[in-house]
C-alpha cells in the first residue's frame, strides 16, 4: 500500500487544490513527505453526494453483509502490516507498543460492532399488535424500528491515530448503524490516515458496496471541516478534539437550514477524589497509580486525571510526596505535535500563575524537541471554588492540580463546582469513607459520564456498558457515548410503521423476523 | 377547585407582575375571567431553582413511589370533574365529546407511564462483569444505567388543552424519567391549565414529594418562554407548537453557555399518497376517510393530512369529486383562538394564490366567529416540485392541497421534495401497487417519523411503538418521539459505573437488583 498524498473520494484518488501541508515528526521537528493538498468545497460536495448516493443501498444491506464489511476493514488494517505502525510512530511520536496496542483495539472495536450488527438490539424493535376488537376504536398494528440518520461526518482525533481516527469508534459505529461516512483526517497524521483509508476503501470494493460508503478528506485549516458539517447531505457529526473545535462545529450545525446532531467529545479534567480512608490505608499505592495514569502517553488522553481533591493533612502530604517523586523521575514523552507541545507548555505556565497555585513537581528537563515536562501543581480548594473556570481548564498533557480541602464539606463544594466531565474517580475505603461516598455519588452522577472507584480513568474499555461521554462541556451532547457499543445509538432515529402489509415491512418488523432480531412485542 | 388567575410556583400561588391577559371564548369572541398576570424573570428563577432543589430527592425515589405519583395525578384530574371540561370547552371551542375523550387519553397516558416506570426498561441497564483473569489486562466491572438530565421546561400546546398541555405527554414522560417539570401554560387556555396544574400540585403534596417537582408559569408573550429555556437550572425543553416558536427555542437553547436538548414538535403537512390501485378499487371510500380526517377538530391537529398526491386520471377525479362534496357540506368547526383563525384564513388565501394552485372546494360560509371554512386546493405536481417551500407550508386547520402527478416518476419526485414530516400515508392495493410502494417506502422512511397504510394519520395511538416525531422541520430533533412510551428516553442520559462497590451502586445496578429491572448482562 502506497502513501500518495491524495484524498480518497469514493473510488478516486483526488489531489487537493487548497494549500498543502505535510506531517511533522515531533521527535525531530522535521517534516515528512508527501505533501497533502487541502480539499475545498468541491471535494466536500463530491464526497457528501457520493455518501448520499450510497446511503439507500448501504442501509438496506443484510446484517451479515454489514458485519462482513466491518470485519474486512479490520483484516485489511492488519494487512497493512508494519508500514502502518512505522508511519504512525513517525507522525505521532507514540511508541511502537502503544500503537500496536491501539491497532489491536481498533480491530477489536470493528469486530465488536460486527457482533452488535448481528445481535440486532440496535434496531430497537417494538411491536404493538393490532387490537381489532378494542372499543370504542380498534387499535392499529404499530411497529417501531431504528433507521440511520444519514451520512455522517467524522473528525479524526490527534491523540489516537488509529482508535479515534479514520477507522475509529465514530466510523465503526456509524458504519454499523448503516450510515456512510466522510472522514476529515487529522492533519497531524495524514499518512496514517491515508493508509487506513485505503484499507477501508479496499474493503468497500471487496464487499461490492457502493463507493460512496467511505471517503477521506484532508485540509490544513478549519474551512473544510466547517464545510463538511454544513453540507446538506451530511446528517450527523462525530468529533473528538478541542473545545474550540467542537464549539465551532456545534455552531455550524445549529446554523444550518436543517440543524443536525453533533457528537463532539471536547475536554475534561477528570477529577479524582482522594477520600480520607483510602489515603490513610494506601496513600503511596494510590500515588503510584496516579503517576502512571498521568504520565502515560504524555498525558495526551481525554481521560487523563487532571484534578485531584483530598483533605489537607499528613495522608495527603504522603500522597503528594510520593506522586511528586514519580513525576520528577518519569521519562519525558514526546508530544503529538509541536502545537500541542506549545499549548501544553503555555497551559502549565498559565495555570501555575493563577492566584494560589504553586508548582509542586516538574518532570526532568526535556532532552529533545516537543517533549512533555510533566507538572504537578497544588492549591487550596478555596482557590478552585472561587475560580472554577480559571483553575478548571484542561491542560492537554501530563498536568495535574491537587486541591487541599479544609474538610469534607469543602470537598463536596469542589465536586459541585466542576463543569461537566467524562469521568469522576473515587479512591475510597469501604467503612470509613461510606458517608462521604454517599454524599458524593449523586453529585458525580450529574456531572460525569463515568464514575470509577479505586482505579484511574485512563484506559477506556470498549464494551457494552461503557459511557465515554458526559455533560457539557465534556461533550456537546450528554445523550451519547463515543466508546462502546452504545455509540451506535447516536446515528439512529426511530420510525413507526402503522398497518403496513407484511410484504412491505422492513425485515426486522416482518412477521417471520427473517434476521432474528430481538423484539419487544405487546398484544 | 377554584380558578384564581395565579401561577403555581411550588406550593405557592403567585400573581404575575407582567402585563395580564385573559382567555378568549372563540365561539363568541368574548373574554373570560379571571385575568392572568404574566410571569417575569424572577418567577422563572424561582420555579427553576425549586425544580433544581427537588431534583435530587425526586430522581432517587423508588419506581413504586413515582408510579403512584403519576397515577395520583390522573385520579386528581378526573376528580376535577365537569368544571375542567366546561372551562376547556369555553377556552377552546372544542366540543364536549372531544374534550372528554382527550381527558381519558391524558389519564391513560399517565397510567401508561406509571407502568413504564415500574417495568424499568428505561433504566437502560447494561452490565459487563469483571474479567479479573483477562490478559494482558484484567477487565473492570462496568455497569450502565440512565439518569434524568435534570429539570425540564414544558410548553403546552394550544390544540390539545389536556393531552399535550400541562399534564400532557411531555410532562408525563419527564416526570416518569425522574425530572421535575416547569410548565409554561399556553395563554389560550389558562383556566384549564391552572385547574390541571392544581391537580398536579395536590398530587405532589399528597405523595409527600418536594414542592419543586412541578410549577406552572404564565405569560402572554414569548419572553417568559425564552427566559425559561435559557435558565441554567433547566436541562431540556419539550415543546409542541409553531415552527417559529420552536425555532426561537432552539436558538435560545443553542446560545446558552451550556446548550441543552430541545424537543420541539413544530409543523407537518403529512403527505398522503393515493396509489393507482387503491384509487381504482375505492376512490370514494378513501375520500370519505380523508374528509373525516381533514375536518375533525377543524383540522387543528399536527397530523392533519394537508397534502394528497395522486396520478392524474379519472380515479383521481372521482376521489376529488367525492372529497369536495364532503368538504362543501361539512359543518364548520370553531377554531381554537382568533389568531389561529386569522392565520388559517390568511394561509389558505396565500396558498391559493401561488402559481398553478386552484381552489377546488370550500366549506360552508361561517355562521359564527372564528369558524374554519375548510379548503381543498389542487395543483399539478410540477408546481410543487418547482416550489416545495411555497406549496409545502403548513396551513394549520382544515386545508389540503391535492397534487396531480403525470406519472409514477413524478409521484416519487414529489416524495423526494417534501421536507421532514411527522407522518406519510400510503393508500395502496397489494398487487397492482407493489412496485410503487417498494419505490416509495425507502424515501418515506427518511422523511417521516411514521408511515401508515390505508388509514389516516390523525388519531395518534399512545403505545410503545408509536413515533410522533420526524426529521426537521417536523421536529427539532429526529431522535425523539413526543407520543408513546419511548418519549421518556428524551430526558435521560447514560452513566457508567466502574468497579463501584455494590453498597454504593444505584438500585438498578446492585447485585440483588432490588427493583427487578431488566438488565443486559455479559460475563
Amino acid at each position: 500500500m502506497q502513501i500518495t498524498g491524495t484524498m480518497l473520494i469514493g473510488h478516486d484518488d483526488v489531489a487537493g487544490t487548497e494549500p498543502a501541508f505535510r506531517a511533522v515528526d515531533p521527535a525531530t521537528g522535521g517534516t515528512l513527505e508527501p505533501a497533502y493538498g487541502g480539499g475545498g468545497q468541491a471535494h466536500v460536495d463530491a464526497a457528501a453526494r457520493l455518501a448520499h448516493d450510497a446511503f439507500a443501498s448501504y442501509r438496506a444491506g443484510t446484517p451479515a453483509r454489514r458485519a462482513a464489511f466491518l470485519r474486512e476493514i479490520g483484516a485489511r488494517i492488519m494487512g497493512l502490516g508494519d508500514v502502518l505502525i512505522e508511519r504512525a510512530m513517525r507522525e505521532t511520536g507514540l511508541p511502537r507498543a502503544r500503537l500496536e496496542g491501539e491497532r489491536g483495539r481498533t480491530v477489536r472495536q470493528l469486530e465488536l460492532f460486527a457482533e452488535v450488527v448481528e445481535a440486532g438490539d440496535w434496531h430497537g424493535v417494538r411491536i404493538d399488535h393490532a387490537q381489532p376488537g378494542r372499543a370504542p376504536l380498534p387499535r392499529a398494528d404499530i411497529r417501531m424500528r431504528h433507521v440511520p440518520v444519514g451520512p455522517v461526518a467524522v473528525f479524526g482525533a490527534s491523540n489516537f491515530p488509529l482508535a479515534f481516527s479514520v477507522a475509529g469508534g465514530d466510523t465503526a459505529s456509524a458504519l454499523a448503524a448503516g450510515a456512510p461516512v466522510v472522514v476529515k483526517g487529522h492533519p497531524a497524521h495524514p499518512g496514517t490516515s491515508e493508509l487506513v483509508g485505503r484499507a477501508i476503501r479496499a474493503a468497500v470494493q471487496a464487499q461490492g458496496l457502493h463507493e460512496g460508503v467511505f471517503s477521506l478528506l484532508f485540509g490544513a485549516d478549519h474551512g473544510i471541516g466547517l464545510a463538511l458539517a454544513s453540507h446538506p447531505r451530511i446528517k450527523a457529526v462525530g468529533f473528538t478534539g478541542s473545545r474550540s473545535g467542537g464549539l465551532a462545529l456545534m455552531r455550524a450545525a445549529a446554523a444550518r437550514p436543517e440543524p443536525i446532531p453533533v457528537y463532539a467529545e471536547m475536554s475534561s479534567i477528570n477529577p479524582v477524589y482522594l477520600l480520607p480512608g483510602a489515603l490513610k490505608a494506601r496513600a503511596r499505592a494510590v500515588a503510584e497509580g496516579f503517576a502512571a495514569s498521568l504520565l502515560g502517553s504524555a498525558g495526551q488522553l481525554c481521560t487523563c486525571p487532571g484534578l485531584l481533591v483530598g483533605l489537607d493533612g499528613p495522608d495527603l502530604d504522603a500522597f503528594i510526596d510520593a506522586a511528586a517523586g514519580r513525576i520528577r523521575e518519569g521519562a519525558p514523552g514526546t508530544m503529538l505535535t509541536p502545537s500541542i507541545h506549545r499549548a501544553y507548555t503555555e497551559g502549565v505556565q498559565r495555570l501555575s500563575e493563577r492566584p494560589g497555585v504553586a508548582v509542586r513537581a516538574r518532570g526532568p528537563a526535556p532532552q529533545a524537541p516537543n517533549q512533555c515536562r510533566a507538572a504537578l501543581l497544588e492549591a487550596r480548594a478555596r482557590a478552585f471554588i472561587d475560580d472554577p473556570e480559571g483553575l478548571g481548564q484542561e491542560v492537554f498533557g501530563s498536568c495535574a492540580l491537587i486541591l487541599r480541602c479544609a474538610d469534607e464539606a469543602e470537598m463536596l463544594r469542589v465536586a459541585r463546582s466542576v463543569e461537566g466531565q467524562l469521568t469522576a474517580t473515587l479512591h475510597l475505603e469501604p467503612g470509613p469513607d461510606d458517608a462521604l461516598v454517599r454524599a458524593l455519588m449523586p453529585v458525580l452522577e450529574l456531572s460525569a459520564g463515568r464514575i470509577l472507584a479505586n482505579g484511574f480513568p485512563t484506559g477506556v474499555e470498549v464494551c457494552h456498558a461503557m459511557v465515554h461521554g458526559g455533560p457539557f462541556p465534556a461533550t456537546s451532547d450528554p445523550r451519547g457515548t463515543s466508546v462502546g457499543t452504545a455509540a451506535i445509538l447516536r446515528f439512529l432515529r426511530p420510525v413507526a410503521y402503522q398497518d403496513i402489509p407484511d410484504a412491505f415491512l422492513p425485515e426486522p418488523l416482518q412477521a417471520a423476523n427473517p434476521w432474528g432480531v430481538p423484539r419487544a412485542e405487546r398484544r
Side-chain angles (χ1 to χ4, degrees), chain A residues 125-128 518-522:
Chain A
V125 174
R126 299 173 172 214
I127 299 180
D128 286 306
R519 316 205 290 193
E521 304 198 38
R522 293 173 184 88

Side-chain angles (χ1 to χ4, degrees), chain A residues 55-68:
Chain A
F55 184 38
S57 63
Y58 182 61
R59 78 182 182 90
T62 63
R65 193 162 182 220
R66 206 180 294 165

Side-chain angles (χ1 to χ4, degrees), chain A residues 221-426:
Chain A
D221 64 15
H222 297 313
I224 191 169
L226 293 176
L228 188 57
S230 304
H231 197 283
R233 294 304 197 188
I234 294 295
K235 300 299 183 186
V237 171
F239 168 89
T240 301
S242 67
R243 191 187 296 198
S244 60
L247 291 176
L249 289 174
M250 289 172 72
R251 280 192 297 269
R256 294 165 50 117
E258 175 196 22
I260 58 172
V262 172
Y263 299 98
E265 193 266 83
M266 297 185 286
S267 62
S268 187
I269 55 172
N270 304 295
V272 176
Y273 298 89
L274 305 165
L275 273 52
L279 278 197
K280 187 175 202 72
R282 50 182 184 282
R284 182 163 295 273
V286 176
E288 303 269 338
F290 158 66
S293 180
L294 180 74
L295 298 176
S297 300
Q300 300 164 112
L301 302 173
C302 323
T303 55
C304 181
L307 186 72
L308 292 99
V309 192
L311 297 193
D312 203 2
D315 294 327
L316 184 59
D317 290 337
F319 171 88
I320 295 176
D321 286 346
R326 283 294 179 189
I327 282 157
R328 282 190 201 101
E329 70 201 21
T334 301
M335 299 195 84
L336 292 157
T337 70
S339 67
I340 286 175
H341 179 257
R342 193 164 50 244
Y344 171 77
T345 306
E346 291 168 3
V348 172
Q349 186 68 23
R350 201 168 46 240
L351 187 55
S352 62
E353 288 169 358
R354 304 295 298 198
V357 175
V359 176
R360 187 56 196 258
R362 292 300 305 259
Q367 305 296 320
N370 300 312
Q371 284 186 337
C372 176
R373 187 174 187 188
L376 187 64
L377 314 179
E378 69 168 80
R380 299 247 153 226
R382 191 74 248 164
F384 184 90
I385 293 164
D386 291 343
D387 181 19
E389 287 204 11
L391 268 61
Q393 280 202 7
E394 181 185 41
V395 177
F396 191 65
S398 299
C399 173
L401 172 66
I402 302 183
L403 302 181
R404 290 182 186 268
C405 301
D407 52 25
E408 298 189 353
E410 200 168 70
M411 186 179 277
L412 275 163
R413 275 200 293 280
V414 169
R416 289 201 193 91
S417 62
V418 294
E419 298 182 301
Q421 301 290 336
L422 294 172
T423 71
T425 300
L426 295 162

Side-chain angles (χ1 to χ4, degrees), chain A residues 424-449:
Chain A
T425 300
L426 295 162
H427 281 273
L428 62 89
E429 187 71 3
D433 291 327
D434 281 10
L436 191 48
V437 174
R438 289 187 196 286
L440 278 165
M441 280 295 283
V443 179
L444 304 184
E445 279 176 336
L446 297 184
S447 62

Side-chain angles (χ1 to χ4, degrees), chain A residues 13-299:
Chain A
D13 289 5
V14 179
T17 49
E18 301 294 311
F21 66 96
R22 287 174 176 78
V24 172
D25 181 342
T28 66
T31 55
L32 297 170
E33 295 302 323
Y36 282 81
Q41 184 65 48
H43 304 110
V44 169
D45 265 351
R49 280 166 196 274
L50 270 183
H52 172 77
D53 293 345
F55 184 38
S57 63
Y58 182 61
R59 78 182 182 90
T62 63
R65 193 162 182 220
R66 206 180 294 165
F69 171 49
L70 293 168
R71 291 189 173 107
E72 175 132 17
I73 295 172
R76 286 180 182 269
I77 288 171
M78 291 309 296
L80 292 169
D82 219 38
V83 170
L84 176 66
I85 299 297
E86 283 171 1
R87 178 76 191 191
M89 287 170 66
R90 293 186 68 197
E91 288 186 333
T92 65
L94 292 169
R96 170 176 290 273
R98 151 74 201 267
L99 287 166
E100 288 181 346
E102 191 183 329
R103 179 176 61 180
R105 174 195 172 109
T106 305
V107 173
R108 279 195 305 278
Q109 189 162 260
L110 288 158
E111 167 62 29
L112 190 59
F113 277 109
E115 292 166 14
V116 166
V117 167
E118 290 169 331
D121 309 80
W122 62 275
H123 292 288
V125 174
R126 299 173 172 214
I127 299 180
D128 286 306
H129 288 277
Q131 295 177 344
R134 189 181 67 172
L137 289 172
R139 188 172 81 178
D141 178 285
I142 301 173
R143 295 165 186 242
M144 177 199 288
R145 70 141 173 176
H146 288 151
V147 299
V149 292
V152 173
V154 170
F155 291 78
S158 64
N159 61 338
F160 279 87
L162 302 171
F164 277 91
S165 191
V166 178
D170 284 339
T171 297
S173 56
L175 290 177
V181 168
V182 179
V183 174
K184 191 264 179 183
H186 198 285
H189 51 262
T192 306
S193 297
E194 186 190 337
L195 286 169
V196 173
R198 290 187 178 278
I200 299 176
R201 181 158 84 184
V204 169
Q205 292 171 336
Q207 294 286 328
L209 299 172
H210 189 293
E211 61 172 321
V213 166
F214 173 79
S215 289
L216 171 62
L217 304 176
F218 288 114
D221 64 15
H222 297 313
I224 191 169
L226 293 176
L228 188 57
S230 304
H231 197 283
R233 294 304 197 188
I234 294 295
K235 300 299 183 186
V237 171
F239 168 89
T240 301
S242 67
R243 191 187 296 198
S244 60
L247 291 176
L249 289 174
M250 289 172 72
R251 280 192 297 269
R256 294 165 50 117
E258 175 196 22
I260 58 172
V262 172
Y263 299 98
E265 193 266 83
M266 297 185 286
S267 62
S268 187
I269 55 172
N270 304 295
V272 176
Y273 298 89
L274 305 165
L275 273 52
L279 278 197
K280 187 175 202 72
R282 50 182 184 282
R284 182 163 295 273
V286 176
E288 303 269 338
F290 158 66
S293 180
L294 180 74
L295 298 176
S297 300

